[in-house]
Coordinates of all heavy atoms in Angstrom, one line a residue:
M191 N 0.8 -1.2 0.0 CA 0.0 0.0 0.0 C 0.9 1.2 0.0 O 1.9 1.3 0.7 CB -0.9 0.0 1.2 CG -2.0 1.0 1.2 SD -3.1 0.9 2.6 CE -3.8 -0.7 2.4
T192 N 0.5 2.2 -0.8 CA 1.4 3.4 -0.9 C 1.0 4.4 0.2 O 0.0 4.3 0.9 CB 1.1 4.1 -2.3 OG1 -0.2 4.6 -2.3 CG2 1.3 3.2 -3.4
A193 N 1.9 5.4 0.4 CA 1.7 6.4 1.4 C 0.5 7.2 1.1 O -0.3 7.5 2.0 CB 2.9 7.3 1.5
E194 N 0.2 7.4 -0.2 CA -1.0 8.2 -0.5 C -2.3 7.4 -0.2 O -3.3 7.9 0.3 CB -1.0 8.5 -2.0 CG -2.2 9.3 -2.5 CD -2.1 9.7 -3.9 OE1 -1.0 9.7 -4.5 OE2 -3.2 10.0 -4.5
E195 N -2.3 6.1 -0.4 CA -3.4 5.2 0.0 C -3.6 5.3 1.5 O -4.8 5.4 1.9 CB -3.2 3.8 -0.5 CG -3.3 3.6 -2.0 CD -2.9 2.2 -2.5 OE1 -1.9 1.7 -2.0 OE2 -3.6 1.7 -3.3
Y196 N -2.5 5.2 2.2 CA -2.7 5.3 3.7 C -3.3 6.6 4.1 O -4.2 6.7 5.0 CB -1.3 5.1 4.4 CG -0.9 3.7 4.6 CD1 0.2 3.1 4.0 CD2 -1.7 2.9 5.5 CE1 0.6 1.8 4.2 CE2 -1.3 1.5 5.7 CZ -0.2 1.0 5.1 OH 0.2 -0.3 5.3
R197 N -2.8 7.7 3.5 CA -3.4 9.0 3.8 C -4.8 9.1 3.5 O -5.6 9.7 4.2 CB -2.6 10.1 3.1 CG -1.3 10.6 3.8 CD -0.8 11.9 3.2 NE -0.4 11.7 1.8 CZ 0.8 11.2 1.4 NH1 1.7 10.8 2.3 NH2 1.0 11.1 0.1
N198 N -5.2 8.6 2.3 CA -6.6 8.6 2.0 C -7.5 7.8 3.0 O -8.6 8.2 3.3 CB -6.8 8.0 0.6 CG -6.3 9.0 -0.5 OD1 -6.2 10.2 -0.3 ND2 -6.0 8.4 -1.7
Y199 N -7.0 6.7 3.4 CA -7.7 5.9 4.4 C -7.8 6.7 5.7 O -8.8 6.7 6.4 CB -7.0 4.6 4.7 CG -7.3 3.5 3.7 CD1 -6.3 2.6 3.3 CD2 -8.6 3.3 3.2 CE1 -6.6 1.5 2.4 CE2 -8.9 2.3 2.3 CZ -7.9 1.4 1.9 OH -8.2 0.4 1.1
L200 N -6.7 7.3 6.1 CA -6.7 8.0 7.4 C -7.7 9.2 7.4 O -8.3 9.5 8.4 CB -5.3 8.6 7.6 CG -5.0 9.3 8.9 CD1 -5.3 8.4 10.1 CD2 -3.6 9.7 9.0
E201 N -7.8 9.8 6.2 CA -8.7 11.0 6.1 C -10.2 10.6 5.9 O -11.0 11.5 6.0 CB -8.2 11.9 4.9 CG -6.9 12.5 5.2 CD -6.3 13.2 4.0 OE1 -6.9 13.2 2.9 OE2 -5.2 13.7 4.1
Q202 N -10.5 9.4 5.7 CA -11.9 8.9 5.5 C -12.7 9.2 6.7 O -12.2 9.0 7.9 CB -11.9 7.5 5.1 CG -13.3 7.0 4.6 CD -13.2 5.6 4.0 OE1 -12.3 4.9 4.3 NE2 -14.2 5.3 3.2
D203 N -13.9 9.6 6.6 CA -14.8 10.0 7.7 C -15.8 8.9 8.0 O -16.1 8.1 7.1 CB -15.5 11.3 7.3 CG -16.3 11.9 8.5 OD1 -15.6 12.3 9.5 OD2 -17.5 11.9 8.5
F204 N -16.3 8.8 9.2 CA -17.3 7.9 9.6 C -18.5 7.9 8.6 O -19.0 6.8 8.2 CB -17.9 8.2 10.9 CG -17.1 7.7 12.1 CD1 -17.2 8.3 13.3 CD2 -16.1 6.7 12.0 CE1 -16.5 7.9 14.4 CE2 -15.4 6.3 13.0 CZ -15.5 6.9 14.3
S205 N -18.9 9.1 8.2 CA -20.1 9.2 7.4 C -19.9 8.6 6.0 O -20.9 8.4 5.3 CB -20.6 10.7 7.3 OG -19.6 11.5 6.7
D206 N -18.7 8.4 5.6 CA -18.4 7.9 4.3 C -18.5 6.4 4.2 O -18.5 5.8 3.1 CB -16.9 8.2 3.8 CG -16.7 9.7 3.7 OD1 -17.7 10.4 3.5 OD2 -15.6 10.1 3.8
V207 N -18.7 5.7 5.3 CA -18.7 4.2 5.3 C -20.0 3.7 6.0 O -20.4 4.2 7.1 CB -17.5 3.7 6.1 CG1 -17.5 2.2 6.1 CG2 -16.2 4.2 5.5
D208 N -20.7 2.8 5.4 CA -21.8 2.1 6.0 C -21.3 1.0 6.9 O -20.6 0.1 6.4 CB -22.7 1.5 4.8 CG -23.9 0.8 5.3 OD1 -24.1 0.6 6.6 OD2 -24.8 0.4 4.5
I209 N -21.7 1.0 8.1 CA -21.2 0.0 9.1 C -21.6 -1.4 8.7 O -20.8 -2.3 8.9 CB -21.8 0.3 10.5 CG1 -21.0 -0.6 11.5 CG2 -23.3 0.1 10.6 CD1 -21.3 -0.1 13.0
N210 N -22.7 -1.6 7.9 CA -23.1 -2.9 7.5 C -22.1 -3.5 6.4 O -22.2 -4.7 6.1 CB -24.5 -2.9 7.0 CG -25.5 -2.6 8.1 OD1 -25.4 -3.1 9.2 ND2 -26.4 -1.6 7.9
E211 N -21.3 -2.6 5.8 CA -20.4 -3.1 4.8 C -19.0 -3.3 5.4 O -18.1 -3.7 4.7 CB -20.3 -2.0 3.7 CG -21.6 -1.9 2.9 CD -21.5 -0.8 1.8 OE1 -20.5 -0.2 1.6 OE2 -22.6 -0.6 1.2
M212 N -18.8 -3.0 6.7 CA -17.5 -3.2 7.3 C -17.4 -4.6 8.0 O -18.4 -5.1 8.4 CB -17.4 -2.1 8.4 CG -17.4 -0.7 7.9 SD -17.5 0.5 9.2 CE -15.8 0.5 9.8
T213 N -16.2 -5.1 8.0 CA -15.9 -6.4 8.6 C -15.8 -6.2 10.1 O -15.0 -5.3 10.5 CB -14.6 -7.0 8.1 OG1 -14.8 -7.2 6.7 CG2 -14.3 -8.4 8.7
D214 N -16.4 -6.9 10.9 CA -16.3 -6.8 12.4 C -15.0 -7.4 12.8 O -14.7 -8.6 12.5 CB -17.5 -7.6 13.0 CG -17.6 -7.4 14.5 OD1 -16.6 -7.0 15.2 OD2 -18.7 -7.6 15.0
L215 N -14.2 -6.6 13.5 CA -12.9 -7.1 14.0 C -13.0 -8.3 14.8 O -12.0 -9.2 14.9 CB -12.1 -6.0 14.7 CG -11.6 -4.9 13.9 CD1 -10.8 -4.0 14.8 CD2 -10.7 -5.4 12.8
R216 N -14.1 -8.5 15.5 CA -14.3 -9.7 16.4 C -14.3 -11.0 15.6 O -14.1 -12.1 16.1 CB -15.5 -9.6 17.2 CG -15.5 -8.4 18.2 CD -16.8 -8.2 18.9 NE -17.9 -8.2 17.9 CZ -19.2 -8.3 18.2 NH1 -19.6 -8.5 19.4 NH2 -20.1 -8.2 17.3
M217 N -14.5 -10.9 14.3 CA -14.6 -12.1 13.4 C -13.3 -12.4 12.7 O -13.2 -13.4 12.1 CB -15.7 -11.9 12.4 CG -17.1 -11.6 12.9 SD -17.6 -13.1 13.9 CE -18.0 -12.3 15.5
I218 N -12.3 -11.5 12.8 CA -11.0 -11.7 12.2 C -10.1 -12.6 13.1 O -10.0 -12.2 14.3 CB -10.4 -10.4 11.8 CG1 -11.2 -9.7 10.8 CG2 -9.0 -10.7 11.2 CD1 -10.7 -8.3 10.4
K219 N -9.6 -13.6 12.6 CA -8.7 -14.5 13.3 C -7.3 -14.4 12.8 O -7.1 -14.4 11.6 CB -9.2 -15.9 13.3 CG -10.6 -16.1 13.9 CD -11.1 -17.5 13.8 CE -12.6 -17.5 14.3 NZ -13.2 -18.8 14.1
A220 N -6.3 -14.4 13.7 CA -4.9 -14.4 13.2 C -4.3 -15.8 13.4 O -4.3 -16.3 14.5 CB -4.2 -13.3 14.1
D221 N -3.9 -16.3 12.3 CA -3.2 -17.6 12.4 C -1.7 -17.5 12.7 O -1.0 -17.0 11.8 CB -3.5 -18.4 11.1 CG -2.9 -19.8 11.0 OD1 -2.1 -20.1 11.9 OD2 -3.2 -20.5 10.1
R222 N -1.3 -17.8 13.9 CA 0.1 -17.6 14.2 C 1.1 -18.5 13.5 O 2.3 -18.3 13.5 CB 0.3 -17.8 15.7 CG -0.5 -16.8 16.5 CD 0.2 -16.2 17.6 NE -0.6 -15.3 18.3 CZ -0.1 -14.4 19.1 NH1 1.1 -14.3 19.3 NH2 -0.9 -13.5 19.7
N223 N 0.5 -19.4 12.7 CA 1.4 -20.2 11.8 C 1.8 -19.5 10.6 O 2.7 -19.9 9.9 CB 0.7 -21.5 11.5 CG 0.5 -22.4 12.7 OD1 1.3 -22.5 13.5 ND2 -0.7 -23.0 12.8
K224 N 1.1 -18.4 10.3 CA 1.5 -17.6 9.1 C 2.4 -16.5 9.5 O 2.5 -16.1 10.7 CB 0.2 -16.9 8.6 CG -0.8 -18.0 8.0 CD -1.9 -17.3 7.3 CE -2.9 -18.3 6.8 NZ -2.5 -19.1 5.7
S225 N 3.2 -16.0 8.6 CA 4.1 -14.9 8.9 C 3.4 -13.6 9.2 O 2.2 -13.5 8.9 CB 5.1 -14.7 7.7 OG 4.3 -14.1 6.6
L226 N 4.1 -12.7 9.8 CA 3.4 -11.4 10.1 C 3.0 -10.7 8.9 O 1.9 -10.1 8.8 CB 4.4 -10.5 10.9 CG 3.9 -9.2 11.4 CD1 2.6 -9.4 12.3 CD2 4.9 -8.4 12.2
Q227 N 3.7 -10.8 7.8 CA 3.3 -10.2 6.5 C 2.1 -10.8 6.0 O 1.2 -10.1 5.5 CB 4.5 -10.3 5.5 CG 4.1 -9.7 4.1 CD 3.9 -8.2 4.2 OE1 4.7 -7.5 4.8 NE2 2.9 -7.7 3.6
E228 N 2.0 -12.1 6.1 CA 0.7 -12.8 5.6 C -0.5 -12.4 6.5 O -1.5 -12.1 5.9 CB 0.9 -14.3 5.7 CG 1.8 -14.9 4.6 CD 2.1 -16.4 4.8 OE1 2.5 -16.8 6.0 OE2 1.9 -17.1 3.9
R229 N -0.3 -12.3 7.8 CA -1.4 -11.9 8.7 C -1.8 -10.5 8.4 O -3.0 -10.1 8.4 CB -1.0 -12.0 10.1 CG -0.9 -13.5 10.6 CD -0.6 -13.6 12.1 NE 0.8 -13.6 12.2 CZ 1.5 -13.4 13.3 NH1 0.8 -13.1 14.4 NH2 2.8 -13.4 13.4
R230 N -0.8 -9.6 8.1 CA -1.1 -8.2 7.8 C -1.9 -8.1 6.5 O -2.9 -7.4 6.4 CB 0.2 -7.4 7.7 CG 0.0 -5.9 7.5 CD 1.3 -5.2 7.4 NE 2.3 -5.7 8.3 CZ 3.6 -5.7 8.1 NH1 4.1 -5.1 7.0 NH2 4.4 -6.2 9.0
D231 N -1.5 -8.9 5.5 CA -2.2 -8.9 4.2 C -3.6 -9.4 4.4 O -4.6 -8.8 3.8 CB -1.4 -9.7 3.2 CG -0.1 -9.1 2.8 OD1 0.1 -7.9 3.0 OD2 0.7 -9.9 2.2
I232 N -3.8 -10.4 5.1 CA -5.2 -11.0 5.4 C -6.0 -9.9 6.1 O -7.2 -9.7 5.7 CB -5.1 -12.3 6.2 CG1 -4.5 -13.4 5.3 CG2 -6.5 -12.7 6.7 CD1 -4.1 -14.6 6.1
F233 N -5.5 -9.3 7.1 CA -6.2 -8.3 7.8 C -6.6 -7.1 6.9 O -7.8 -6.7 6.9 CB -5.3 -7.7 9.0 CG -6.0 -6.6 9.8 CD1 -6.9 -7.0 10.8 CD2 -5.7 -5.3 9.5 CE1 -7.5 -5.9 11.5 CE2 -6.3 -4.3 10.2 CZ -7.2 -4.6 11.2
L234 N -5.7 -6.6 6.1 CA -6.0 -5.5 5.2 C -7.0 -5.9 4.2 O -7.9 -5.1 3.8 CB -4.7 -5.0 4.6 CG -3.8 -4.2 5.5 CD1 -2.5 -3.9 4.8 CD2 -4.4 -3.0 6.1
N235 N -6.9 -7.1 3.7 CA -7.9 -7.6 2.7 C -9.3 -7.7 3.3 O -10.3 -7.4 2.6 CB -7.5 -8.9 2.1 CG -6.4 -8.8 1.1 OD1 -6.2 -7.8 0.4 ND2 -5.6 -9.9 1.0
K236 N -9.4 -8.0 4.5 CA -10.7 -8.2 5.2 C -11.3 -6.9 5.6 O -12.5 -6.7 5.5 CB -10.6 -9.1 6.4 CG -10.4 -10.6 5.9 CD -10.5 -11.5 7.1 CE -10.3 -12.9 6.6 NZ -10.4 -13.9 7.7
V237 N -10.5 -5.9 6.2 CA -11.0 -4.7 6.7 C -11.0 -3.6 5.7 O -11.8 -2.6 5.8 CB -10.4 -4.2 8.0 CG1 -10.5 -5.2 9.1 CG2 -8.9 -3.8 7.8
G238 N -10.1 -3.6 4.7 CA -10.0 -2.5 3.8 C -9.3 -1.4 4.4 O -8.1 -1.3 4.3
N239 N -10.0 -0.5 5.1 CA -9.4 0.7 5.7 C -8.9 0.3 7.1 O -9.7 0.1 8.0 CB -10.4 1.8 5.8 CG -9.8 3.1 6.3 OD1 -8.8 3.1 7.0 ND2 -10.5 4.2 6.1
P240 N -7.6 0.3 7.4 CA -7.1 -0.1 8.7 C -7.3 0.9 9.8 O -7.2 0.7 10.9 CB -5.6 -0.4 8.5 CG -5.3 0.5 7.3 CD -6.5 0.5 6.4
Y241 N -7.7 2.1 9.4 CA -7.9 3.2 10.3 C -9.4 3.4 10.7 O -9.6 4.1 11.7 CB -7.4 4.6 9.7 CG -5.9 4.5 9.4 CD1 -5.5 4.5 8.1 CD2 -5.0 4.6 10.4 CE1 -4.1 4.4 7.8 CE2 -3.6 4.6 10.2 CZ -3.2 4.5 8.8 OH -1.9 4.5 8.6
L242 N -10.3 2.8 10.0 CA -11.7 2.9 10.3 C -12.2 1.5 10.3 O -12.4 0.9 9.2 CB -12.4 3.8 9.2 CG -13.8 4.1 9.4 CD1 -14.0 4.8 10.8 CD2 -14.4 5.0 8.3
V243 N -12.5 1.0 11.5 CA -12.9 -0.4 11.6 C -14.2 -0.5 12.4 O -14.7 0.5 13.0 CB -11.8 -1.2 12.3 CG1 -10.5 -1.2 11.5 CG2 -11.5 -0.7 13.7
R244 N -14.7 -1.7 12.4 CA -15.9 -2.0 13.1 C -15.7 -3.0 14.2 O -15.0 -4.0 14.0 CB -17.0 -2.6 12.2 CG -18.2 -3.1 12.8 CD -19.1 -3.7 11.8 NE -20.3 -4.3 12.4 CZ -21.2 -4.9 11.8 NH1 -21.1 -5.1 10.5 NH2 -22.3 -5.4 12.4
I245 N -16.2 -2.8 15.4 CA -16.2 -3.7 16.5 C -17.7 -3.8 17.0 O -18.2 -2.9 17.6 CB -15.3 -3.3 17.6 CG1 -13.9 -3.2 17.1 CG2 -15.4 -4.3 18.8 CD1 -12.9 -2.6 18.1
G246 N -18.3 -4.9 16.6 CA -19.8 -5.0 17.0 C -20.6 -3.9 16.2 O -20.5 -3.8 15.0
N247 N -21.4 -3.2 17.0 CA -22.2 -2.1 16.3 C -21.5 -0.8 16.3 O -22.2 0.2 16.1 CB -23.5 -1.9 17.2 CG -24.2 -3.1 17.5 OD1 -23.9 -4.2 17.1 ND2 -25.3 -3.0 18.2
M248 N -20.2 -0.7 16.6 CA -19.5 0.5 16.7 C -18.4 0.7 15.6 O -17.6 -0.2 15.4 CB -18.9 0.6 18.1 CG -18.3 1.9 18.4 SD -17.5 1.9 20.1 CE -18.0 0.4 20.9
K249 N -18.4 1.9 15.0 CA -17.3 2.2 14.2 C -16.2 2.8 15.0 O -16.5 3.5 16.0 CB -17.7 3.3 13.1 CG -18.7 2.8 12.1 CD -19.0 4.0 11.2 CE -20.1 3.7 10.2 NZ -20.4 4.8 9.4
V250 N -15.0 2.5 14.7 CA -13.8 2.9 15.5 C -12.8 3.6 14.5 O -12.4 3.0 13.6 CB -13.2 1.8 16.3 CG1 -11.9 2.2 17.0 CG2 -14.2 1.1 17.2
K251 N -12.4 4.8 14.9 CA -11.3 5.5 14.1 C -10.0 5.2 14.8 O -9.9 5.5 16.0 CB -11.6 7.0 14.0 CG -10.7 7.7 13.2 CD -10.9 7.6 11.7 CE -10.1 8.6 10.9 NZ -10.5 8.7 9.6
V252 N -9.1 4.6 14.2 CA -7.8 4.2 14.8 C -6.8 5.3 14.4 O -6.6 5.7 13.3 CB -7.3 2.8 14.2 CG1 -5.9 2.5 14.7 CG2 -8.3 1.7 14.5
R253 N -6.1 5.7 15.5 CA -5.0 6.7 15.3 C -3.8 6.2 16.1 O -4.0 5.6 17.2 CB -5.4 8.1 15.9 CG -6.6 8.7 15.2 CD -6.1 9.9 14.4 NE -7.3 10.5 13.8 CZ -7.3 11.1 12.7 NH1 -6.1 11.2 12.1 NH2 -8.3 11.7 12.2
F254 N -2.6 6.5 15.6 CA -1.4 6.0 16.3 C -0.7 7.2 16.9 O -0.5 8.2 16.1 CB -0.5 5.3 15.3 CG -1.1 4.0 14.8 CD1 -1.6 4.0 13.5 CD2 -1.3 2.9 15.6 CE1 -2.1 2.8 13.0 CE2 -1.9 1.7 15.1 CZ -2.3 1.7 13.8
A255 N -0.4 7.2 18.1 CA 0.4 8.3 18.8 C 1.8 8.3 18.2 O 2.4 7.2 17.9 CB 0.4 8.1 20.3
N256 N 2.4 9.4 18.1 CA 3.8 9.5 17.7 C 4.6 9.4 18.9 O 5.1 10.4 19.5 CB 4.0 10.9 17.0 CG 5.4 11.0 16.4 OD1 6.2 10.1 16.5 ND2 5.7 12.1 15.9
N257 N 4.9 8.2 19.3 CA 5.7 7.9 20.5 C 7.0 7.3 20.2 O 7.6 6.6 21.0 CB 4.9 7.0 21.5 CG 4.5 5.7 20.9 OD1 4.9 5.4 19.7 ND2 3.8 4.9 21.6
G258 N 7.5 7.6 19.1 CA 8.9 7.1 18.7 C 9.0 5.8 18.0 O 10.0 5.4 17.6
I259 N 7.8 5.1 17.9 CA 7.9 3.8 17.1 C 7.3 4.1 15.7 O 6.6 5.0 15.5 CB 7.1 2.7 17.8 CG1 5.6 3.0 17.9 CG2 7.7 2.4 19.2 CD1 4.8 1.8 18.4
S260 N 7.7 3.2 14.8 CA 7.3 3.4 13.4 C 5.8 3.1 13.3 O 5.2 2.4 14.1 CB 8.1 2.5 12.5 OG 7.7 1.1 12.7
M261 N 5.2 3.6 12.2 CA 3.8 3.3 11.9 C 3.6 1.8 11.7 O 2.6 1.2 12.2 CB 3.3 4.1 10.6 CG 1.8 3.9 10.4 SD 1.5 2.3 9.6 CE -0.2 2.5 9.2
E262 N 4.6 1.2 11.1 CA 4.5 -0.3 10.9 C 4.5 -1.0 12.2 O 3.7 -1.9 12.4 CB 5.7 -0.7 10.0 CG 5.7 -2.2 9.8 CD 6.8 -2.7 8.8 OE1 6.6 -2.5 7.6 OE2 7.8 -3.2 9.3
Q263 N 5.3 -0.6 13.2 CA 5.3 -1.3 14.5 C 4.0 -1.0 15.2 O 3.5 -1.9 15.8 CB 6.5 -0.8 15.3 CG 6.6 -1.5 16.7 CD 6.8 -3.0 16.5 OE1 7.7 -3.5 15.8 NE2 6.0 -3.8 17.2
A264 N 3.5 0.2 15.1 CA 2.3 0.5 15.8 C 1.1 -0.3 15.2 O 0.3 -0.8 15.9 CB 1.9 2.0 15.7
F265 N 1.1 -0.5 13.9 CA 0.1 -1.3 13.2 C 0.2 -2.7 13.6 O -0.8 -3.4 13.9 CB 0.2 -1.1 11.7 CG -0.8 -1.8 10.9 CD1 -2.1 -1.3 10.9 CD2 -0.6 -2.9 10.1 CE1 -3.2 -2.0 10.2 CE2 -1.5 -3.5 9.4 CZ -2.9 -3.1 9.4
E266 N 1.4 -3.2 13.7 CA 1.6 -4.6 14.1 C 1.1 -4.8 15.5 O 0.5 -5.8 15.8 CB 3.1 -5.0 14.0 CG 3.6 -5.2 12.6 CD 5.1 -5.4 12.5 OE1 5.8 -5.5 13.5 OE2 5.6 -5.3 11.3
N267 N 1.4 -3.9 16.4 CA 0.9 -3.9 17.8 C -0.6 -4.0 17.8 O -1.2 -4.7 18.6 CB 1.5 -2.8 18.6 CG 3.0 -2.9 18.8 OD1 3.6 -3.9 18.6 ND2 3.6 -1.7 19.2
M268 N -1.2 -3.1 17.0 CA -2.7 -3.1 17.0 C -3.2 -4.4 16.5 O -4.1 -5.0 17.0 CB -3.1 -2.0 16.0 CG -4.6 -1.7 16.1 SD -5.7 -2.4 14.8 CE -4.8 -2.0 13.3
L269 N -2.6 -5.0 15.4 CA -3.0 -6.3 14.9 C -3.0 -7.4 16.0 O -3.9 -8.2 16.2 CB -2.2 -6.7 13.7 CG -2.5 -6.2 12.4 CD1 -1.5 -6.7 11.4 CD2 -3.9 -6.5 11.9
L270 N -1.9 -7.4 16.7 CA -1.7 -8.4 17.8 C -2.7 -8.2 18.9 O -3.1 -9.2 19.5 CB -0.2 -8.3 18.3 CG 0.8 -8.7 17.3 CD1 2.2 -8.4 17.9 CD2 0.7 -10.2 16.9
S271 N -3.1 -7.0 19.1 CA -4.1 -6.8 20.3 C -5.5 -7.0 19.9 O -6.3 -7.3 20.8 CB -3.8 -5.4 20.9 OG -4.2 -4.4 20.0
V272 N -5.9 -6.8 18.6 CA -7.3 -6.9 18.3 C -7.8 -8.1 17.6 O -9.0 -8.5 17.6 CB -7.8 -5.7 17.4 CG1 -7.6 -4.4 18.2 CG2 -7.1 -5.7 16.1
C273 N -6.9 -8.9 17.0 CA -7.2 -10.1 16.3 C -7.2 -11.3 17.2 O -6.2 -11.5 17.9 CB -6.3 -10.3 15.1 SG -6.4 -9.0 13.9
R274 N -8.2 -12.1 17.1 CA -8.3 -13.3 17.9 C -7.3 -14.3 17.3 O -7.0 -14.3 16.1 CB -9.6 -14.0 17.8 CG -10.7 -13.1 18.5 CD -12.0 -13.8 18.6 NE -12.3 -14.5 17.4 CZ -13.4 -15.3 17.3 NH1 -14.2 -15.5 18.3 NH2 -13.6 -16.0 16.2
V275 N -6.7 -15.1 18.1 CA -5.7 -16.1 17.6 C -6.2 -17.4 17.3 O -7.0 -18.0 18.1 CB -4.6 -16.2 18.7 CG1 -3.5 -17.2 18.3 CG2 -4.0 -14.8 19.0
V276 N -5.8 -18.0 16.2 CA -6.2 -19.4 15.8 C -4.9 -20.2 15.9 O -3.9 -19.8 15.4 CB -6.7 -19.4 14.4 CG1 -6.9 -20.9 14.0 CG2 -7.9 -18.6 14.3
S277 N -4.8 -21.2 16.7 CA -3.6 -22.0 16.8 C -3.4 -22.9 15.6 O -4.3 -23.4 15.0 CB -3.7 -22.9 18.0 OG -4.2 -22.2 19.1

């Protein structure tokens, strides 16, 4: 994904997305047998916009604090914390 695509996703507003068309994060499972890159690709394919996600009946806008870690590391941390694990 290009930097421009990331910026476009980041700037997308709640009103631009129908919650019924969003994938519920509770339904996404992370297979720890797959590489981090494969898990990231699966996640992005399922949710589309990684900054605007759904959890149940709620839309959530994801923002990463600038705390000295890379956007990639922040995204990986978010993936590890929100995706259920499949052994």
Side-chain angles (χ1 to χ4, degrees):
M191 190 176 299
T192 68
E194 184 176 340
E195 288 172 315
Y196 275 118
R197 274 192 299 277
N198 289 337
Y199 279 143
L200 184 58
E201 294 170 359
Q202 191 170 18
D203 190 66
F204 281 158
S205 60
D206 296 338
V207 180
D208 179 354
I209 193 168
N210 296 313
E211 295 177 6
M212 299 170 76
T213 302
D214 190 337
L215 286 185
R216 298 175 306 165
M217 301 297 124
I218 297 177
K219 299 177 183 174
D221 184 347
R222 296 226 179 196
N223 295 318
K224 295 188 182 292
S225 71
L226 185 56
Q227 180 63 46
E228 289 173 307
R229 286 184 274 165
R230 188 180 320 153
D231 292 344
I232 290 167
F233 178 83
L234 290 173
N235 285 332
K236 288 186 178 183
V237 299
N239 183 343
Y241 299 106
L242 186 58
V243 297
R244 172 184 177 181
I245 301 174
N247 310 359
M248 188 179 350
K249 292 181 188 179
V250 177
K251 183 80 172 195
V252 176
R253 298 248 184 212
F254 298 106
N256 185 3
N257 59 3
I259 63 173
S260 69
M261 186 281 187
E262 182 174 280
Q263 183 62 51
F265 185 69
E266 289 173 9
N267 292 344
M268 190 262 312
L269 279 178
L270 293 172
S271 67
V272 299
C273 296
R274 296 185 322 171
V275 176
V276 175
S277 319

